[in-house]
Amino acid sequence: MSTSSVSKGCFVFKPSAKKKKTHKKDSLEDYFSHGCEGADNSEVRFKLCQDLWDQIKTDTEVLQDELNRKILDSLLDFTRKCSSTRQHSDWASQMRASEIPTAALVLGVNVPDHDMTFQSLSELLQQSVSPHVASVQAKECGALKHLMKRVLERLMGTVVTVDDEEEEEAEQIQLHKSVHCSLNTLCDWYNTKTKKSNTVSPGKKRSSPVRDDPQQPPVVVIFKDFEAFNPKVLQDFILICSRYIERLPLMFIFGIATSPSTIQHMLPHSVSSLLCIELFQSLSCTQHLATVIDKLILTPHFPFKLNGKVMQVLISIFLYHDFSVRNFIKGVQLALLEHFHSQPLSALCCKKKEALLNVMQLSNSHLERIRHLPSFKRYVEKQEPQEQGNLLTDDAHLKDVCQNLIKDLRKYHKNYYPVLRCLHTLTSSLPRYPLGKQVRELHLICLEKNVWENEDYQTAMKLLKMLAKDELIALLQRCMETLEPVKSKKMKSALVQLKDLLAKLKQLDTVAAETLPCPEDCITSPVKNLQKKTDLFQLQKTLLEMNESRRAKKLSPFEVLRNEALEFMDGLVKSHLSPPETQTLYEVCYYTSSATVRRHLNATPRTSIQAALSSPYYYLQNESLKTEDGTVSNAAPDICIAYKLHLECGRLINLYDWLEAYATVVSAAEGNHPDSEHFGKVEEVKHARFIRSVSELEFLGFIKSTKQKTDHVARLTWGGC
Amino acid sequence: MTALLEHPGYEEQRLRSSAEKLPSRELQAGMLLSLMGQPQQYSYPSVFIYGHRASGKSHVMQVLLKELELPHATVSCVECVSVVLLFEQVLLSFFGCDVASLLPRSPSLSDFVRIYRQQCSQTPAKQTRYIVMEKAELLRDTDANLLPALLRLQELVEDNVTVILLSEIVWDKFRPNTGCFEPLLLHFPDYSKAELQQILSQDRHPSYSAEFYSSYINILLGVFYSVCRDLRELRHLAALNFSKFCEPLAEGKVKETDTHKLWRNIEPHLKKAMQTVYLREVSSLQWEQMQQMEEKESGALRGLSAHTHVELPYYSKFLLIAAYLASYNPARTDKRFFLKHHGKIRKTNFLKKNEKTSNHLLGPKPFPLDRLLAIFYSVVDSRVAPTASIFSQISSLVTLQLLTQVSHDDQLDAPKYKCAVSMDFICAISRTVSFDIVKYLYDFL
C-alpha cells in the first residue's frame, strides 16, 4: 500500500469491510474448537451453542419489544397527534406560540440498554409516522456546528444509504452539504421531498395505512442521552429550530436517564417555553429483569441452566453495578459459551429428541467421562452390584441408562418450575417476605439446598397456617392457574388434587352451618377451677393445662382443610424442589463455574496487576519462575523484583537502599558467588534496569516522587509482605 | 387613534399601514424613520437597539422594512454557527444566490468585503441597504474583528448600507477592548400594563365581541402581570385559557356582560395555570386535555419537577453518598467520621471558627478521586473488590450529571470531582440504603 504523502510518518491502513467479514466467518468455529475440551464433538456443540444463543437473542428481543410496546405506542400517538394538530387553523392555535412538540422519554439509568429501545423506536417511527428520523448522541455533537451537521446528514442521508455502493454517493452529497449546513437547507430539502412524494405515485409510499398525513410528516430528532449534551449547544439548537417551526414540522425526543427535572436544570425558561414537553415513563429495569428471568431462566424450554452461584454473580452484577439487562444477557451468553466450550458432555444439553440421538453417538471417551461424573457415581452406588458392573463395563447398557436419565432430568425440570411458581405465589404475599419478594430469590434458595430444610421456609409455613379462608382460596386459585397449562403427568394429578381441595374449601360454608355447636365446655371448666385456687404453683399448673387444652382443641373443619392443603403443597415442594445437584447427570445442563464468570464480567485491574507482579508465573507460565507462596524467584522480571523489594519498605523509600538491594538480588540471579568481588556491585546496566523498573512502577501508580526528602520516593499503596 | 408616522420620501399609505401594525411603538418607529432619512439618503452606519425580550425590536424593524419595501437582510446570530452563514445570507438577499456561491470555502471578513465591493460597483444602491442582526450579543463570541468591522461596514464597502444590531443587553457590555466605532443607541422600553392590554386585545376571537375579549385580557393581566410581562408568553396563555373562560357562556349560564361571574369562574383556573403551564411543568397540549377532563381526574397529572426520584444501582448510591460527604465535609474531619479509633477530639477544638459558616451555604467543594474511594470503602457495609465496574460507575455518574468533573478531561492522574446533587436528593438516596447521612455531615454535628 502506498500513500501520496511526501512526508515521513505513520499511516493507518484499515482493512476493507469485505475482507473483515469473510475472515471472521470461517474463524468463529475455529475459535470455538481451539483449545476446547474433548475436541472430537466440538462441531456438534458449536452448533448447539449457536442455536441456543440465537434462540435466546430472538426471544429477548421479542420480549423487549413487548415490554416497550406500551410506551412506544403512546409515544407514537403523541407524534401523530402533534403532526395532525399542526395543521389546524382555528383561532386558538393561531394565537398560540408555536411550540416544538417534545417527548421526554424517561428510561432509567441503565444507559447500555437504551440503544435497543431507541433502535426499535426509530424503526417504528419510520414505519408508521414519518420517514424523517434522525438520532444523535452527545459524544458526536460537541459543538453546535457538529450537531447541525449530524442532524442534516442523518435526515438527508437516510433516504440514500441503502447499499454499499450508494454509500459513497451519499457521502459525497453530505460533504457538499456540510459547506453550508443550516436549517434553511433542510427546509428546502424538506419542501422538495414532500412535494415529490405528493406528486409521484402517492400509493406507492403509503405502505402502512396508519400514516395519517403523508403530505406533512414530521421531522423527528432523537437526542439519545440528554444529560450528556452540552446545555449551551442544546439551547442554541432549540432556538434555531423554533425559528423554522412554521416551515418545518420539527419534533424532538429526549432520552432521559435520571429524572425529568434535568430538563429544567439544563434549559432556561426562555428556551423551555419554546417546547411543548410531554413525559413518558418506561418500565423500571428491575421489572424488566424480572420478566427476562421469568421467560429465559425459569422455564424448562431452554435446556441450558445456570447453577445458584453463577446466577448469584449475574444478579449481583445487575443490582450492585449497572442495572443493565443487556449486560445480564451478555453474561448468560458468556456462561453458555463457556459451558459448551469446556464441558464435552454438553452435547447432550439440547432438546429431548436430539439429546437422545446424541446419547447414542457418544464415543468411548465420553462414556468414560460420564462414568467419572460425581452425580453418576452417586447413582451407581445406589444400584445393585450386578447393575453396577454392567454400568461400568457395558457401553450399550450405559447408553440406554443415560437415555433414561436424560428423560428423568427433563421431567425434573418440567415439574420444578411450576411448583416453584406455586410456592412463590403462596409466600410472596406473606409479611416480611420470608422467602423473598421475587421468584428469582426463591429460585436461588432452591438451587442452594433443600428448601424445606430452610428456617425461612418453616416460618413461611407457620405464617401460611394463619391465613384466612378467602386469602387461602385466592392463593390456591392462582396456584391452580399456574399448574393448569403444564403437561406433565405428576402436575396433572396434583392439579386434580388441588381442585378437590378448593371445591371442599368452597363447600365449607354450607357444611359449616350444620357443625356449628362448638365444644365450649372444655375451655370453661378450667376457668372455673381457677377462681377457686389461689396458690401460685397451682395457678401456673392450671394455666399450662389451659394452654395444652387449647392446643389440643378440636380443629374446625376449615383448619383441617387448611392443614391438608398446606401439607399437600409441602409434599409437592419436597418431591419436586430438590436442588439440581441431587439429579443424576445434572452436569450436562448446569454451568457451575461462577469464578470464571466473575473474572470475565467484573474485572479487577488492580488485583491482576498485583498478581502479575507478585507471582509472575501466573501469567508467564515459565517453569523457572515457579516459587512457593509469597516469594519471588530472583530470575523474575526486573519490575517484579523491584516491586517485591518495595513492599518491604515503609511510606518513604530510600532510592539508594532500594538500588543496593536490587543489585544484590540480580547478582544472585546471574550466578555470581556471594563472596566474589563483583557481587552486589552496581554497574551501569543494572543501574539502568533498576531505573527503568522504578519508572514503570511509578507509571503503574505504586510510587511517586516526593519533596519531603531528597533521594526518596513515596509509596502509594498500603500493606506489604 | 394612533399618531401617524410622518417622513418625507415615503408613501403616506405605506406609512399609515405600518403605523397601524405598531401599536405603542410609534415613538420608536418615528425615531428610527428619522434616523433612516429618505430612502436614497445615506444613513448612519450602525444603529444599536436594545430592550427586553418581546419589547418589539424585531417586529418594528420587520414591519418598517417590509412595508416600506426597503432592501434589507435579516440575520439571526444564533443561527450563524460560522461566519460563512452570515456572509452568505447578506450577499444572498442583496445580490442573489449566484453571488453567494462566489464565497471561498472558509471566507474571511476581507473576502466578504471584496465580493461586496465588487458587486455593489456593478449594482450600486439606489436606496439604503439595511442589515439587521438579531441577538447581536452572540457576535461578541465570534472573531474579534467581526463586530468592529460590521459597525463601520459603510466605510469598508463604500456603499449606502446600515447595520442595525438588536440585542437584549446594553451596549456597554459589547464595547471591545480595542475600541470601535460607536453606534447610535436606541432603547425600547418595556410595554406598560395599559399597552399590553391594548396589544393583546387586538387579537380577539372572531366569534366574540371586542369588549368581551378585552375584559378577558383584563382579568388575565390581573393574574399574570405580576409574574410575566413577556408579550409572547401572555398571548400564548391567553389563547390557552380562553376556551375555559367562554365555557359558562356556551352553557348559557351567564351573559357576556356579567364580568364578575366570569371572573369568579376563571380566576382559580388561571392561578393553576400560573403554577403549571407558565413554568412549563405540563405542556400546553396536556393543559388543554386537562381542561376537557373533570377536576378530579386532572389531579393525577404531575409536573416535570415532581419526578425527582432516580433509581440507581446499589454501589452507585454509595459512591454518590461518599461524593456528597467529600464535597460538604472539610477534608481534615474525615478522620473523625471514618476512623474507628479516632481518639477523643473535643468538639470545641474540633470546630474551627472560620468554619462555622455552613458548608451547605458555600456549595460543594472539589475532591480528589482517592478521597472519594477512601470514604466509599468506609461507608459501604460489605467488602467491595476494587473492580473496573466501580470505576466505570463513577464516570457514568458524571455523564448523568450527578457528579461533575472539575479537572480537565485530559488529566488522568488524580482527577477531581464535585457532587452536584441536592441535600433532599441525597437524603432520599441514603434512606433507600438505610444509611444515616446526617450523622456524617459536619454541618449538622
Side-chain angles (χ1 to χ4, degrees):
Chain A
M1 288 198 194
S2 63
T3 57
S4 54
S5 168
V6 186
S7 64
K8 270 189 183 177
C10 186
F11 300 95
V12 178
F13 293 100
K14 286 190 177 161
S16 66
K18 252 183 192 171
K19 240 183 184 174
K20 251 189 205 165
K21 264 181 204 164
T22 49
H23 186 70
K24 212 176 171 185
K25 210 170 182 180
D26 53 36
S27 70
L28 206 59
E29 198 174 334
D30 292 347
Y31 274 130
F32 186 84
S33 37
H34 178 74
C36 119
E37 286 281 321
D40 49 343
N41 62 354
S42 71
E43 269 172 55
V44 184
R45 276 146 56 194
F46 177 71
K47 215 187 142 289
L48 280 177
C49 177
Q50 250 191 342
D51 287 349
L52 261 179
W53 169 239
D54 288 342
Q55 201 185 345
I56 289 176
K57 209 170 132 195
T58 46
D59 278 14
T60 47
E61 273 164 18
V62 168
L63 202 64
Q64 171 121 21
D65 281 350
E66 263 171 38
L67 288 173
N68 282 330
R69 179 161 298 146
K70 208 174 138 202
I71 180 170
L72 290 186
D73 278 350
S74 55
L75 199 65
L76 288 182
D77 273 351
F78 173 72
T79 57
R80 282 196 208 107
K81 205 164 61 191
C82 284
S83 62
S84 63
T85 49
R86 205 186 288 278
Q87 269 98 47
H88 283 319
S89 53
D90 64 327
W91 175 84
S93 51
Q94 265 177 14
M95 280 307 120
R96 261 170 56 176
S98 43
E99 297 166 309
I100 306 174
T102 304
L105 192 58
V106 183
L107 292 166
V109 292
N110 45 336
V111 182
D113 292 354
H114 297 177
D115 268 351
M116 241 159 106
T117 316
F118 281 119
Q119 182 82 34
S120 53
L121 172 64
S122 65
E123 270 166 22
L124 276 177
L125 280 172
Q126 268 167 355
Q127 275 169 18
S128 66
V129 180
S130 156
H132 315 304
V133 180
S135 45
V136 284
Q137 267 176 308
K139 66 175 176 213
E140 48 187 23
C141 317
L144 180 59
K145 212 190 305 183
H146 301 132
L147 175 57
M148 289 286 253
K149 193 173 163 223
R150 294 278 175 265
V151 169
L152 291 192
E153 267 176 16
R154 306 261 153 90
L155 283 173
M156 295 160 147
T158 42
V159 195
V160 197
T161 45
V162 186
D163 283 344
D164 288 36
E165 291 173 5
E166 284 180 15
E167 216 163 57
E168 281 179 12
E169 210 175 305
E171 261 170 27
Q172 276 172 2
I173 291 169
Q174 282 158 17
L175 276 179
H176 175 68
K177 289 277 188 292
S178 75
V179 176
H180 44 193
C181 72
S182 69
L183 273 190
N184 216 343
T185 350
L186 188 65
C187 278
D188 294 342
W189 171 83
Y190 182 76
N191 282 340
T192 53
K193 202 87 212 157
T194 44
K195 228 177 257 165
K196 212 191 274 170
S197 66
N198 271 358
T199 48
V200 178
S201 64
K204 194 180 164 191
K205 265 199 134 182
R206 221 181 303 165
S207 48
S208 62
V210 208
R211 189 182 293 173
D212 47 347
D213 190 24
Q215 286 102 18
Q216 291 270 301
V219 176
V220 187
V221 182
I222 303 176
F223 297 89
K224 279 185 179 174
D225 38 358
F226 182 76
E227 279 93 349
F229 273 91
N230 182 352
K232 187 83 189 87
V233 170
L234 215 56
Q235 286 163 23
D236 284 348
F237 184 73
I238 293 170
L239 279 176
I240 295 173
C241 286
S242 74
R243 287 173 54 86
Y244 287 90
I245 188 71
E246 304 292 332
R247 291 162 62 196
L248 196 65
L250 275 164
M251 203 198 133
F252 295 153
I253 294 175
F254 293 158
I256 295 175
T258 50
S259 72
S261 51
T262 44
I263 296 180
Q264 287 164 331
H265 292 161
M266 285 180 72
L267 305 177
H269 182 252
S270 61
V271 176
S272 63
S273 66
L274 300 171
L275 304 174
C276 171
I277 303 169
E278 197 154 328
L279 200 64
F280 297 89
Q281 191 101 34
S282 83
L283 208 68
S284 85
C285 46
T286 35
Q287 274 169 294
H288 189 171
L289 180 78
T291 2
V292 166
I293 287 185
D294 204 49
K295 288 274 151 66
L296 209 65
I297 310 270
L298 301 180
T299 162
H301 297 302
F302 285 104
F304 172 69
K305 307 279 170 206
L306 302 171
N307 87 336
K309 278 191 183 139
V310 178
M311 272 290 280
Q312 191 67 56
V313 168
L314 290 180
I315 287 176
S316 64
I317 288 179
F318 177 85
L319 289 178
Y320 287 148
H321 291 293
D322 56 5
F323 268 178
S324 163
V325 178
R326 201 185 73 153
N327 287 357
F328 179 84
I329 294 167
K330 289 271 168 209
V332 175
Q333 185 189 12
L334 175 80
L336 182 79
L337 258 176
E338 276 288 328
H339 180 64
F340 280 94
H341 187 74
S342 59
Q343 174 60 274
L345 294 176
S346 57
L348 306 182
C349 176
C350 49
K351 293 260 176 293
K352 188 178 166 190
K353 269 186 194 163
E354 267 180 280
L356 295 182
L357 222 82
N358 284 346
V359 168
M360 297 320 287
Q361 278 156 8
L362 284 179
S363 66
N364 279 337
S365 62
H366 288 133
L367 290 176
E368 215 42 54
R369 269 179 207 277
I370 288 182
R371 286 180 186 131
H372 282 106
L373 288 179
S375 68
F376 189 75
K377 276 185 188 161
R378 249 178 281 140
Y379 170 76
V380 171
E381 278 161 20
K382 279 183 212 153
Q383 306 302 316
E384 304 283 312
Q386 196 193 342
E387 176 69 8
Q388 277 182 4
N390 270 344
L391 280 172
L392 293 180
T393 49
D394 188 356
D395 282 358
H397 180 66
L398 179 62
K399 279 180 183 174
D400 283 344
V401 173
C402 274
Q403 281 191 338
N404 285 332
L405 287 174
I406 292 270
K407 278 181 200 163
D408 284 347
L409 195 62
R410 275 187 58 78
K411 272 181 208 151
Y412 163 74
H413 282 141
K414 262 190 170 173
N415 298 332
Y416 176 88
Y417 294 106
V419 175
L420 182 77
R421 277 172 217 275
C422 281
L423 183 59
H424 178 68
T425 37
L426 285 180
T427 56
S428 62
S429 54
L430 291 177
R432 283 208 242 159
Y433 312 104
L435 287 178
K437 226 175 184 176
Q438 309 262 8
V439 199
R440 60 160 191 264
E441 294 167 55
L442 184 61
H443 180 55
L444 282 179
I445 295 173
C446 294
L447 287 180
E448 201 77 17
K449 57 176 186 181
N450 289 339
V451 62
W452 58 91
E453 286 164 10
N454 197 322
E455 244 175 70
D456 293 328
Y457 179 80
Q458 313 290 352
T459 48
M461 276 299 160
K462 264 182 206 157
L463 285 171
L464 280 176
K465 276 181 188 158
M466 287 182 245
L467 277 183
K469 192 175 135 201
D470 44 350
E471 284 175 316
L472 187 69
I473 289 181
L475 287 179
L476 289 180
Q477 202 99 43
R478 268 166 59 206
C479 287
M480 207 174 81
E481 279 158 21
T482 49
L483 288 183
E484 217 135 45
V486 185
K487 277 181 190 144
S488 91
K489 271 181 210 157
K490 279 181 185 162
M491 287 302 111
K492 273 185 179 156
S493 69
L495 185 65
V496 172
Q497 269 176 290
L498 194 60
K499 273 184 182 163
D500 236 34
L501 273 169
L502 259 175
K504 274 187 203 162
L505 271 171
K506 280 177 186 164
Q507 275 174 2
L508 213 59
D509 279 332
T510 48
V511 185
E514 294 158 23
T515 55
L516 198 83
C518 175
E520 259 176 68
D521 46 304
C522 63
I523 304 172
T524 48
S525 60
V527 180
K528 275 176 195 163
N529 293 342
L530 202 69
Q531 288 160 347
K532 289 173 198 166
K533 284 154 194 168
T534 46
D535 183 10
L536 203 63
F537 177 73
Q538 286 297 330
L539 181 70
Q540 197 182 11
K541 205 177 163 189
T542 39
L543 279 175
L544 274 176
E545 263 170 28
M546 261 165 78
N547 211 3
E548 284 291 297
S549 65
R550 199 168 287 168
R551 204 172 286 164
K553 192 185 106 184
K554 205 179 156 199
L555 296 167
S556 75
F558 165 65
E559 283 165 332
V560 173
L561 267 178
R562 183 169 64 189
N563 285 351
E564 200 180 319
L566 290 178
E567 261 160 38
F568 165 69
M569 286 312 296
D570 193 45
L572 274 185
V573 166
K574 279 184 180 152
S575 53
H576 296 300
L577 283 191
S578 52
E581 275 80 9
T582 56
Q583 303 298 313
T584 315
L585 288 190
Y586 80 95
E587 289 94 338
V588 167
C589 293
Y590 281 82
Y591 181 67
T592 48
S593 169
S594 61
T596 319
V597 174
R598 183 179 286 131
R599 205 173 58 234
H600 279 101
L601 296 182
N602 207 355
T604 52
R606 191 173 145 188
T607 327
S608 37
I609 287 177
Q610 273 174 337
L613 289 176
S614 53
S615 57
Y617 174 75
Y618 185 72
Y619 287 107
L620 295 177
Q621 303 278 316
N622 186 339
E623 283 305 320
S624 68
L625 297 177
K626 225 172 182 176
T627 53
E628 270 113 67
D629 277 346
T631 58
V632 170
S633 119
N634 50 13
D638 295 340
I639 185 171
C640 298
I641 296 170
Y643 172 78
K644 176 71 191 161
L645 290 171
H646 113 288
L647 285 181
E648 291 160 12
C649 301
R651 205 179 67 81
L652 290 176
I653 307 170
N654 186 327
L655 273 175
Y656 190 73
D657 292 351
W658 195 5
L659 173 62
E660 293 257 276
Y662 172 81
T664 316
V665 175
V666 173
S667 302
E670 280 164 358
N672 290 346
H673 196 266
D675 298 332
S676 78
E677 211 175 303
H678 294 286
F679 186 80
K681 260 230 173 121
V682 182
E683 30 153 335
E684 276 179 6
V685 179
K686 272 181 209 156
H687 195 184
R689 278 165 60 187
F690 174 71
I691 288 175
R692 189 178 64 182
S693 47
V694 167
S695 59
E696 275 169 353
L697 279 179
E698 188 178 0
F699 176 69
L700 289 175
F702 286 98
I703 52 167
K704 70 170 184 185
S705 58
T706 172
K707 283 173 190 161
Q708 287 177 13
K709 263 182 176 178
T710 44
D711 308 348
H712 281 68
V713 288
R715 253 185 88 178
L716 294 174
T717 51
W718 293 275
C721 31
Chain B
M1 62 176 204
T2 49
L4 278 181
L5 291 174
E6 282 177 6
H7 202 274
Y10 299 102
E11 284 177 42
E12 210 163 282
Q13 175 67 34
R14 290 180 187 280
L15 280 176
R16 188 177 302 130
S17 70
S18 50
E20 272 167 22
K21 285 184 186 168
L22 301 172
S24 322
R25 283 287 109 130
E26 298 87 2
L27 200 70
Q28 283 76 16
M31 174 81 100
L32 263 175
L33 266 185
S34 50
L35 281 178
M36 285 151 66
Q38 292 181 29
Q40 73 281 4
Q41 289 171 337
Y42 263 60
S43 167
Y44 199 76
S46 48
V47 183
F48 181 83
I49 302 176
Y50 65 102
H52 276 151
R53 206 161 165 256
S55 55
K57 302 179 296 288
S58 314
H59 182 63
V60 169
M61 280 323 297
Q62 284 308 315
V63 168
L64 281 183
L65 293 174
K66 283 238 171 78
E67 287 290 322
L68 303 176
E69 290 185 336
L70 300 168
H72 67 276
T74 311
V75 187
S76 169
C77 293
V78 198
E79 224 176 306
C80 301
V81 282
S82 59
V83 280
V84 197
L85 289 169
L86 198 157
F87 298 155
E88 217 174 52
Q89 282 198 20
V90 172
L91 292 177
L92 193 93
S93 37
F94 287 159
F95 307 109
C97 51
D98 297 342
V99 181
S101 56
L102 284 178
L103 279 170
R105 230 188 109 90
S106 51
S108 64
L109 186 67
S110 52
D111 284 325
F112 169 67
V113 171
R114 179 174 53 81
I115 292 172
Y116 193 102
R117 287 177 76 148
Q118 225 170 48
Q119 292 300 319
C120 81
S121 65
Q122 288 166 17
T123 52
K126 294 189 198 90
Q127 294 176 315
T128 315
R129 289 172 173 148
Y130 294 97
I131 301 176
V132 182
M133 317 273 307
E134 290 173 356
K135 293 208 193 310
E137 59 265 21
L138 289 165
L139 285 177
R140 297 179 299 174
D141 305 333
T142 53
D143 296 344
N145 66 355
L146 187 63
L147 182 62
L150 282 175
L151 289 171
R152 54 203 318 165
L153 191 67
Q154 201 175 69
E155 250 173 87
L156 283 173
V157 299
E158 293 173 340
D159 187 32
N160 186 2
V161 62
T162 293
V163 177
I164 297 172
L165 303 173
L166 308 181
S167 175
E168 293 176 25
I169 301 176
V170 291
W171 170 248
D172 293 340
K173 306 273 176 194
F174 275 74
R175 209 172 277 127
N177 298 334
T178 48
C180 66
F181 182 83
E182 290 285 311
L184 275 180
L185 305 186
L186 195 61
H187 178 55
F188 273 44
D190 284 349
Y191 292 111
S192 68
K193 195 173 178 183
E195 283 170 339
L196 281 175
Q197 161 101 35
Q198 187 197 346
I199 297 167
L200 284 171
S201 304
Q202 275 188 349
D203 31 54
R204 67 181 178 88
H205 199 280
S207 47
Y208 295 93
S209 75
E211 290 82 46
F212 177 67
Y213 193 74
S214 179
S215 68
Y216 167 63
I217 293 297
N218 200 6
I219 293 170
L220 185 87
L221 279 180
V223 175
F224 281 101
Y225 186 69
S226 54
V227 290
C228 169
R229 295 170 192 200
D230 188 335
L231 180 63
R232 228 179 76 98
E233 198 73 346
L234 282 171
R235 184 178 279 153
H236 178 70
L237 287 167
L240 277 186
N241 296 308
F242 187 60
S243 62
K244 187 79 182 176
F245 183 69
C246 300
E247 220 169 59
L249 214 65
E251 287 166 15
K253 280 182 194 160
V254 281
K255 277 181 232 156
E256 272 197 25
T257 48
D258 195 355
T259 31
H260 185 69
K261 270 193 182 159
L262 284 171
W263 178 77
R264 272 229 308 251
N265 173 44
I266 194 72
E267 214 244 347
H269 187 72
L270 288 181
K271 285 250 167 79
K272 199 171 162 199
M274 191 154 72
Q275 287 157 9
T276 51
V277 233
Y278 172 60
L279 294 174
R280 294 300 193 275
E281 286 275 291
V282 299
S283 69
S284 35
L285 251 175
Q286 283 173 312
W287 179 250
E288 279 176 350
Q289 280 167 9
M290 267 162 69
Q291 287 182 339
Q292 284 153 18
M293 279 191 294
E294 290 296 304
E295 288 287 315
K296 54 183 193 295
E297 286 172 50
S298 62
L301 201 68
R302 295 192 301 159
L304 286 184
S305 58
H307 303 263
T308 49
H309 176 68
V310 177
E311 197 69 51
L312 284 174
Y314 189 71
Y315 288 146
S316 293
K317 284 178 182 169
F318 273 107
L319 279 170
L320 202 60
I321 288 171
Y324 191 84
L325 292 175
S327 259
Y328 286 97
N329 282 349
R332 63 178 186 86
T333 60
D334 284 356
K335 212 175 173 183
R336 185 221 176 281
F337 286 121
F338 304 113
L339 226 57
K340 265 189 189 147
H341 308 289
H342 54 76
K344 277 199 177 169
I345 306 172
R346 289 260 173 92
K347 207 179 169 185
T348 41
N349 289 349
F350 182 57
L351 291 164
K352 272 192 185 165
K353 253 188 188 167
N354 56 348
E355 274 170 358
K356 285 251 170 79
T357 42
S358 162
N359 286 305
H360 278 84
L361 288 179
L362 294 172
K365 293 192 186 63
F367 54 86
L369 177 66
D370 303 350
R371 190 168 161 229
L372 170 70
L373 286 177
I375 296 179
F376 169 70
Y377 284 121
S378 73
V379 292
V380 79
D381 45 3
S382 53
R383 270 191 55 141
V384 191
T387 57
S389 41
I390 294 282
F391 291 101
S392 73
Q393 279 180 61
I394 296 175
S395 50
S396 61
L397 285 175
V398 172
T399 40
L400 295 178
Q401 292 198 329
L402 300 172
L403 295 184
T404 43
Q405 192 162 0
V406 184
S407 53
H408 196 265
D409 286 349
D410 296 343
Q411 192 194 337
L412 295 175
D413 189 27
K416 287 191 167 180
Y417 301 94
K418 258 187 192 181
C419 187
V421 298
S422 65
M423 177 85 190
D424 291 340
F425 187 90
I426 205 74
C427 282
I429 290 275
S430 38
R431 211 172 303 130
T432 56
V433 289
S434 50
F435 177 81
D436 188 9
I437 191 161
V438 179
K439 238 169 65 185
Y440 286 87
L441 278 170
Y442 180 67
D443 279 356
F444 298 96
L445 216 58

